[in-house]
Amino acid sequence: MSNALELDPQRVLPADADAVLLGRVWLPECAGPAVVAVRGGELFDVTTSMAPTVRDVLESPDPKGLLDDTRGRSIGGIAEVLANSDEKARDPQRPWLLSPVDLQAVKAAGVTFAASMLERVIEEQAKGEPQRAADLRREIVGMIGTELVELVPGSPAAMSLKQTLIKRGLWSQYLEVGIGPDAEIFTKAQPLSSVGIGAHVGIHPASRWNNPEPEVAVLLASDGRMVGATLANDVNLRDFEGRSALLLGKAKDNNASCAIGPFIRLFDQRWGVEDLQHVEVSVRVDGSDGFRLDGTSSMAQISRSPAALAQATLNENHQYPDGVVLLLGTLFAPVQDRGEAGSGFTHHADDVVGISAPELGCLSNRVRTSDRCAPWTFGAGALMRNLAARGVL
């Protein structure tokens, strides 16, 4: 069984040939990134004084119009740039794709699906020990059942269930944010630290229980407009977070632990915000040991709407002048044993993770420990100096 990265344009690009796609490419001759548009199988560098960053495109009153009006220069066919995006076999003298976001805050919404909410409760009860998860899963699902799926967070019915669960000794901080009035919004990564398609994605070397989290991510302008969407892998360390919720930062924000891409699909008249809740995300993990895991995450089952999560993120109490990329959470919570019975799933080095949706394409990455991924060295200061030297600031 092959565990090669999925870098074929037929797989990577959305099924809709008219999708308006925005991205970023590393240009070796500039020693820096370019903002790119996808047109007819080619990538066009549209980096100008009007759009030196993806942030500037998304902050414009009409991102699609700005992209259409900036013709740019071709930097090559999408197929050849994709082929060179595999970090394991990259020619550093040729362009490759980066994460399509740059200066945006990278935020994530947690516990937004009932099924994955139960898995968080199990992690908490297991105290980070995967061997205890199977027994706890049977016990907790037996007590709570599937009634959580139909609850509206913060509703009278949800608050009534909360009181029942407290009395039964089953209340959890995860149930609080899953069915309570307040959404969990946390910082997933720093601006410019996320990795793109083909890059290695990082797992902390001390983790022994972890998994990918395939998600839809929405792009928010600083005024709260939802202007586009993409795919993301919110890599999660179940053992760290299960030991203590105060370890969330260590469980979530490690070197190369957030993959985003392959491109941002800008909202237009053909495909917009209302279409997000119809997206079906698929995930596949192929190990070099022959192991394979398949799963799905249906946005139709999300407990809080993308609009509600966006409002909980960017509002009168939280401003983000460079915008936000907001990961919307996942239904996917793998329980398939990879080794001994009851041990559950966890990543191995060289796993290939493919996250796909027909409307958004496919994001494919290979797993390493975070200390073996390329260190993050190109931050906001480096970007500003690079753009200034190129005369586009």
Side-chain angles (χ1 to χ4, degrees), residues 21 64 84 109 152 183 199 206 255 282 311 356-357:
L21 302 178
K64 179 181 181 298
N84 198 47
V152 176
N255 184 42
S282 298
Q311 201 285 325
S356 60

Side-chain angles (χ1 to χ4, degrees), residues 147 150-152 154-164 179:
E147 57 189 303
E150 303 299 327
L151 283 180
V152 176
S155 67
M159 295 302 94
S160 175
L161 177 61
K162 173 179 178 177
Q163 294 306 314
T164 300
I179 67 175

Side-chain angles (χ1 to χ4, degrees), residues 2-353:
S2 171
N3 72 328
L5 292 179
E6 299 177 285
L7 300 179
D8 182 343
Q10 295 298 316
R11 175 71 170 155
V12 168
L13 297 179
D16 181 359
D18 293 322
V20 181
L21 302 178
L22 172 68
R24 293 170 68 240
V25 164
W26 184 265
L27 294 181
E29 67 268 28
C30 299
V35 180
V36 296
V38 180
R39 300 180 185 131
E42 289 187 79
L43 290 170
F44 286 82
D45 178 359
V46 295
T47 313
T48 67
S49 58
M50 290 292 291
T53 66
V54 166
R55 176 263 181 209
D56 292 294
V57 176
L58 300 183
E59 285 295 308
S60 70
D62 180 12
K64 179 181 181 298
L66 178 60
L67 210 60
D68 289 342
D69 290 343
T70 309
R71 294 310 304 168
R73 66 177 183 92
S74 174
I75 59 173
I78 180 96
E80 59 189 91
V81 177
L82 271 172
N84 198 47
S85 297
D86 184 347
E87 187 171 352
K88 191 175 181 179
R90 179 178 297 158
D91 179 352
Q93 303 304 312
R94 295 165 50 216
W96 66 86
L97 283 166
L98 300 169
S99 166
V101 300
D102 43 39
L103 296 176
Q104 294 82 3
V106 185
K107 309 292 282 189
V111 201
T112 54
F113 291 82
S116 58
M117 174 170 56
L118 289 177
E119 286 300 311
R120 294 293 176 265
V121 176
I122 290 162
E123 285 170 17
E124 182 182 40
Q125 296 292 320
K127 306 300 182 186
E129 295 293 333
Q131 291 78 12
R132 297 182 58 201
D135 290 340
L136 284 165
R137 188 173 296 111
R138 286 190 292 271
E139 178 184 355
I140 292 172
V141 172
M143 290 182 180
I144 298 177
T146 57
E147 57 189 303
L148 295 174
V149 177
E150 303 299 327
L151 283 180
V152 176
S155 67
M159 295 302 94
S160 175
L161 177 61
K162 173 179 178 177
Q163 294 306 314
T164 300
L165 293 172
I166 289 173
K167 291 176 183 177
R168 295 170 69 175
L170 284 174
W171 190 245
S172 160
Q173 58 201 334
Y174 295 106
L175 290 167
E176 177 64 49
V177 296
I179 67 175
D182 299 309
E184 180 193 17
I185 306 293
F186 60 90
T187 296
K188 170 59 184 177
Q190 302 307 305
L192 287 166
S193 71
S194 60
V195 300
I197 186 171
H200 297 152
V201 67
I203 300 289
H204 194 288
S207 176
R208 297 296 177 266
W209 189 21
N210 48 67
N211 61 264
E213 292 196 349
E215 307 192 14
V216 172
V218 65
L219 278 298
L220 309 178
S222 62
D223 59 5
R225 286 175 297 135
M226 289 190 278
V227 293
T230 187
L231 295 169
N233 185 355
D234 175 12
V235 176
N236 183 51
L237 310 184
R238 302 188 70 178
D239 44 5
F240 282 30
E241 187 177 352
R243 281 161 44 206
S244 170
L246 298 182
L247 292 174
L248 180 66
K250 193 167 186 177
K252 291 291 189 179
D253 185 6
N254 297 294
N255 184 42
S257 66
C258 181
I260 298 176
F263 297 97
I264 295 168
R265 179 170 184 172
L266 296 180
F267 293 145
D268 58 14
Q269 292 182 340
R270 294 176 55 87
W271 196 78
V273 175
E274 63 280 1
D275 296 300
L276 284 181
Q277 286 192 218
H278 303 291
V279 174
E280 295 277 338
V281 180
S282 298
V283 60
R284 190 174 83 203
V285 178
D286 287 306
S288 58
D289 57 354
F291 175 87
R292 179 164 177 174
L293 176 71
D294 290 284
T296 58
S297 181
S298 172
M299 286 291 292
Q301 297 186 49
I302 198 166
S303 301
R304 303 178 194 266
S305 70
L309 292 170
Q311 201 285 325
T313 304
L314 201 160
N315 50 57
E316 64 275 9
N317 298 309
H318 297 277
Q319 292 82 43
Y320 298 96
D322 295 315
V324 178
V325 53
L326 175 63
L327 283 61
L328 297 176
T330 186
L331 177 65
F332 178 71
V335 298
Q336 178 181 334
D337 290 334
R338 187 165 194 175
E340 63 183 83
S343 64
F345 170 83
T346 198
H347 272 305
H348 290 187
D350 289 325
D351 280 354
V352 167
V353 181

